[in-house]
Amino acid sequence: MAEHFSHSPRLFEEKIHAPFRAAVPNDPKMLSIAVSVGDGRKSFVIYQSGRRGRRRSKRMNTVVMFTMLPNCSSSSSFFRFAPNKSCLVCGFNRSHSTHIHNASRNDWKNKITTFCCHNSEKTESIYPVLATTSRSARSVVPPGTTSTIATTPPLEQCHGIGIIKFLQWRNLLITGATGFLGKVLLEKVLRTVPDVGKIFILIKAKDREEALGRLKTEIMNSELFKCLKQIHGKSYDAFLLSKLVPVVGDVADTNLGMESIVSKEISEAVDVIINSAANTNFFERYDIAVKTNVRGPCQLLEFGKKCKRLCLFLHVSTAYVNGERRGIVQEKPFYKGQSIATERETVDMAVPVLDVDAEIKLALESTQEVQDNSTIQSMKQMGLERARRYRWQDTYAFTKAMGEMLMNGKREDIPVVIIRPSIIESSFRDPFPGWIQGNRMLDPLLLSYGKGWLPGLVADPLGVADVVPADMVVNAILAAVAQHGIEGRAKLSVYHVCSSVANPLTYGDIFKYAFDHFSSSPLVGRRGEKVCTKRLKFCGSTHELSSYVSTVMAEQNGFMDRRLRTKWEMIERNALHLSGIYEPYLFHQGRFDSSNTKRLMDEMSEEEKRQFGIDFGEIDWKDYFINVHIPGLRKHVLKGRFPSS
């Protein structure tokens, strides 16, 4: 009969510490409940304490039994303890079934033998479970069993952060996965961590069939995933469908638009939530922007509080939530009611404190009044006016900032990470250089210039354009997920994923590189004519820009017919329009400190730096724009076509 010891720190240290610490992470929150010694083996049982606070819960949520079998190393055998009723044989306060794994620690798929105190046996496939009071190691059930949940294997101490180790068998909930950054994130996880658990993807759709259709057409059939197709070959579709779970929903809807049964299943499974859903239109209707960028993240965070195994909530924001701040901008969180206007020395004291709740009420009450184009335009104007009242550039940056404020106030004991990238552009390296989706931030300017539709621009040529490749942003996201998921501390961490301090790039540089590219490889029009580009004229005002375009027209006056004159008038309107849209960014006077991101990089091992690099200093901007980004635009956005306007 086994000998039992309860709540003995001395015996825990003496009988467990040395062998057990070799197999599990050093977590001071572990509790020793019982030690069994006998029959040539030692069994160490670790219980999980209650979910919150110091009081132990009556219900033992997760337990692991570690056993040293005769003639085997301490890392070769793992046990899973399944609480049920009192066991009549061994005297434990709960019966247990012990799952023995006599293979290497990474060989989780082997068949193993299960037995309990009553000596009943069966053979099944099981995954080891690690117990801890920290949110960072909550367990789930493996794929291939009756549940749709995957199990997290024991974390090992390793050099670096342990990004891949942490993500193995984790279940993720990702929003915005059909967008540009979301797709890059999905591809990276599936390629570098093929044994990740389930990835639940929130997709706007009327039913699951439509959601599955969007998953296949917008994600699985995307060119971005061609490397995964090469890796998995004929099993590519089966692999992705075994990992990706489309979920009908919308962050802007109540309960995320999910059915209650689906919501419950996900809440019991998910380990990490990554919110990359956003409305990125600078001048969106105020009500729509508030629903997606302010209420959406908060509703997702409230859902996260229901998730029993959640160890991290990560929110993708933007560095431009810092509004009109100047100089070196620190990686600091926003607090509810904080306003950029109150930070400026020249602030008008009549500007009230920002009332986020009142702004939400104003936007949502105005929704019911939107009926025709005139009221739609007034709603767009309302968002812009509210943003600039408090010194943000536009509706997008303003609503993203308010979303951060509410999350900070409502996060409670959830570990929250906010990633603030700047101008996200095409991939630098992974999965291949130059991939991009859509006509993004700087791209309308670059493509208009290449087409000959942008002779000048109201901009500061010495202004810093804070550009970051999409794959580096994703690397920062995954590194932060692992770092804070393992740590499991209930705090808010902010990361600027930006290049303006580490490797500044000016707008003058960008258009110089664009000129070099289009001069050597010009776009070709519908009639086969090559588009001639001249160096961009930087202007200080719209009046100067109009005068410059008029001068160019006058120089060609003798050779212009009515069609060409109409074209040049359209060119002038296009240049003025783009200058108006981008003015707050083209004259932005802030640079984003990225010390936290640098420290994250310093924590990585050399192998992690190779796989998940976030060193913006290594980017040669000239090579990136001439040989990577602009060719990527031509291939993935223009798709070889050159429209006439």
Side-chain angles (χ1 to χ4, degrees):
M1 182 66 67
E3 183 179 1
H4 303 285
F5 307 91
S6 298
H7 303 284
S8 172
R10 181 184 63 80
L11 285 174
F12 173 73
E13 195 69 23
E14 179 181 344
K15 300 291 185 180
I16 298 178
H17 186 274
F20 193 76
R21 291 305 180 193
V24 298
N26 186 16
D27 191 338
K29 297 180 181 180
M30 293 280 183
L31 285 177
S32 171
I33 302 300
V35 181
S36 301
V37 181
D39 300 327
R41 66 179 70 186
K42 299 177 183 178
S43 299
F44 307 138
V45 183
I46 308 299
Y47 283 74
Q48 177 183 345
S49 67
R51 180 178 178 187
R52 297 181 183 176
R54 295 185 179 181
R55 267 190 331 180
R56 285 186 48 220
S57 170
K58 293 181 180 179
R59 176 171 175 259
M60 300 303 177
N61 297 317
T62 307
V63 183
V64 64
M65 178 182 283
F66 171 77
T67 293
M68 290 179 62
L69 296 177
N71 303 319
C72 70
S73 67
S74 62
S75 63
S76 63
S77 301
F78 288 89
F79 288 63
R80 181 179 177 187
F81 183 90
N84 195 359
K85 298 179 180 179
S86 297
C87 182
L88 301 176
V89 178
C90 69
F92 272 35
N93 62 336
R94 294 177 183 267
S95 67
H96 60 282
S97 60
T98 308
H99 300 206
I100 307 177
H101 184 72
N102 287 316
S104 65
R105 190 178 315 184
N106 293 322
D107 186 16
W108 307 117
K109 296 184 178 180
N110 281 7
K111 294 291 183 181
I112 55 178
T113 301
T114 301
F115 66 91
C116 71
C117 298
H118 307 286
N119 295 322
S120 60
E121 297 187 8
K122 65 176 180 177
T123 301
E124 63 180 354
S125 178
I126 194 67
Y127 293 71
V129 178
L130 176 65
T132 173
T133 56
S134 169
R135 287 179 176 267
S136 64
R138 293 182 179 174
S139 63
V140 284
V141 180
T145 65
T146 55
S147 173
T148 60
I149 309 170
T151 297
T152 307
L155 295 175
E156 300 178 11
Q157 289 183 342
C158 58
H159 297 292
I161 296 174
I163 300 172
I164 292 178
K165 284 290 182 184
F166 175 79
L167 290 172
Q168 286 175 330
W169 311 114
R170 298 285 176 183
N171 295 306
L172 313 179
L173 170 61
I174 300 179
T175 67
T178 58
F180 172 50
L181 188 66
K183 285 183 183 177
V184 180
L185 174 63
L186 274 181
E187 194 280 337
K188 182 78 173 189
V189 172
L190 292 170
R191 180 166 45 85
T192 58
V193 195
D195 48 0
V196 67
K198 295 291 184 181
I199 303 179
F200 300 97
I201 301 174
L202 201 65
I203 298 178
K204 289 184 182 179
K206 63 181 180 181
D207 53 35
R208 192 178 187 281
E209 184 178 352
E210 183 179 314
L212 182 60
R214 287 194 64 190
L215 172 68
K216 291 179 178 179
T217 57
E218 298 181 34
I219 295 177
M220 295 174 63
N221 294 340
S222 172
E223 186 181 1
L224 176 68
F225 289 76
K226 69 179 185 181
C227 293
L228 270 173
K229 290 180 182 178
Q230 293 172 358
I231 293 170
H232 294 279
K234 294 180 179 180
S235 62
Y236 168 75
D237 286 352
F239 170 71
L240 259 64
L241 291 174
S242 72
K243 296 294 181 181
L244 306 180
V245 181
V247 179
V248 178
D250 186 346
V251 293
D253 293 341
T254 305
N255 197 34
L256 306 179
M258 295 188 293
E259 296 178 355
S260 58
I261 188 170
V262 175
S263 175
K264 185 176 185 299
E265 180 180 356
I266 295 175
S267 68
E268 293 176 350
V270 71
D271 297 294
V272 176
I273 295 176
I274 300 177
N275 178 40
S276 64
N279 188 309
T280 59
N281 188 334
F282 292 168
F283 309 109
E284 184 57 89
R285 275 171 41 183
Y286 195 36
D287 56 325
I288 293 177
V290 164
K291 283 182 180 179
T292 305
N293 297 340
V294 183
R295 287 185 62 188
C298 294
Q299 291 184 154
L300 193 60
L301 183 62
E302 289 301 318
F303 175 76
K305 294 176 184 177
K306 303 175 185 177
C307 297
K308 300 176 181 178
R309 297 175 172 87
L310 187 70
C311 56
L312 186 72
F313 183 98
L314 185 141
H315 173 69
V316 180
S317 185
T318 172
Y320 292 99
V321 294
N322 290 292
E324 297 181 7
R325 286 171 172 165
R326 300 175 180 177
I328 303 298
V329 182
Q330 303 298 318
E331 297 163 292
K332 294 183 178 180
F334 274 100
Y335 298 94
K336 193 173 181 180
Q338 190 174 352
S339 170
I340 305 298
T342 59
E343 299 174 2
R344 300 288 296 273
E345 294 180 1
T346 58
V347 64
D348 181 357
M349 297 307 294
V351 175
V353 174
L354 173 61
D355 187 337
V356 179
D357 295 326
E359 293 296 324
I360 295 174
K361 184 178 179 182
L362 172 65
L364 299 184
E365 286 181 349
S366 301
T367 302
Q368 310 195 0
E369 301 174 6
V370 178
Q371 297 175 351
D372 52 34
N373 288 334
S374 62
T375 51
I376 289 174
Q377 291 301 318
S378 68
M379 286 297 294
K380 290 182 177 181
Q381 188 61 31
M382 177 192 291
L384 189 60
E385 289 175 355
R386 304 303 294 179
R388 293 185 174 173
R389 174 181 176 85
Y390 298 102
R391 299 296 180 89
W392 272 275
Q393 299 95 322
D394 46 48
T395 309
Y396 167 60
F398 180 45
T399 53
K400 291 291 282 186
M402 288 195 291
E404 284 194 23
M405 294 176 194
L406 287 187
M407 283 195 300
N408 192 11
K410 296 182 177 182
R411 58 188 172 86
E412 296 180 4
D413 68 337
I414 302 289
V416 175
V417 171
I418 294 178
I419 298 289
R420 293 178 182 165
S422 47
I423 302 172
I424 306 176
E425 292 293 358
S426 62
S427 58
F428 176 61
R429 184 175 291 131
D430 281 338
F432 51 86
W435 188 83
I436 191 167
Q437 175 179 290
N439 206 0
R440 302 188 58 78
M441 180 74 175
L442 288 176
D443 307 333
L445 299 176
L446 292 172
L447 293 179
S448 288
Y449 175 71
K451 295 174 184 178
W453 286 78
L454 191 66
L457 187 66
V458 180
D460 179 7
L462 299 179
V464 175
D466 203 312
V467 174
V468 287
D471 53 333
M472 287 191 167
V473 177
V474 164
N475 291 343
I477 289 173
L478 296 178
V481 163
Q483 177 83 338
H484 294 278
I486 294 171
E487 185 180 84
R489 291 178 58 192
K491 66 176 183 178
L492 174 63
S493 305
V494 177
Y495 291 89
H496 283 163
V497 184
C498 308
S499 63
S500 54
V501 172
N503 192 3
L505 168 74
T506 67
Y507 288 105
D509 291 334
I510 290 176
F511 283 98
K512 179 180 180 298
Y513 304 149
F515 173 76
D516 292 342
H517 174 87
F518 289 116
S519 295
S520 61
S521 182
L523 292 175
V524 178
R526 288 182 176 178
R527 298 178 179 85
E529 75 282 8
K530 293 183 178 180
V531 179
C532 179
T533 54
K534 296 183 179 180
R535 292 193 181 276
L536 184 80
K537 170 69 174 178
F538 286 93
C539 303
S541 65
T542 55
H543 176 73
E544 183 183 351
L545 177 58
S546 295
S547 298
Y548 173 71
V549 175
S550 298
T551 301
V552 175
M553 289 176 61
E555 292 175 352
Q556 302 183 21
N557 190 39
F559 306 96
M560 295 182 91
D561 56 20
R562 180 178 298 179
R563 183 180 62 82
L564 287 177
R565 181 173 295 276
T566 301
K567 177 182 176 181
W568 272 95
E569 289 173 352
M570 292 175 64
I571 288 174
E572 180 181 1
R573 287 198 298 271
N574 180 66
L576 291 171
H577 174 68
L578 291 175
S579 296
I581 290 176
Y582 289 99
E583 180 182 4
Y585 299 93
L586 296 172
F587 289 94
H588 189 259
Q589 298 182 36
R591 296 194 184 187
F592 304 111
D593 173 61
S594 54
S595 298
N596 290 345
T597 304
K598 185 179 183 303
R599 279 191 286 271
L600 193 64
M601 181 177 67
D602 292 341
E603 290 287 329
M604 294 182 183
S605 66
E606 290 303 316
E607 177 60 22
E608 287 178 328
K609 289 178 182 178
R610 187 187 67 80
Q611 279 192 287
F612 302 94
I614 49 176
D615 184 5
F616 299 107
E618 71 172 329
I619 302 175
D620 180 339
W621 290 121
K622 181 177 181 179
D623 178 71
Y624 174 76
F625 275 92
I626 293 177
N627 300 318
V628 176
H629 182 60
I630 298 178
L633 285 177
R634 297 176 68 159
K635 180 178 181 180
H636 302 291
V637 178
L638 289 183
K639 301 184 185 299
R641 301 187 302 270
F642 173 28
S644 60
S645 63

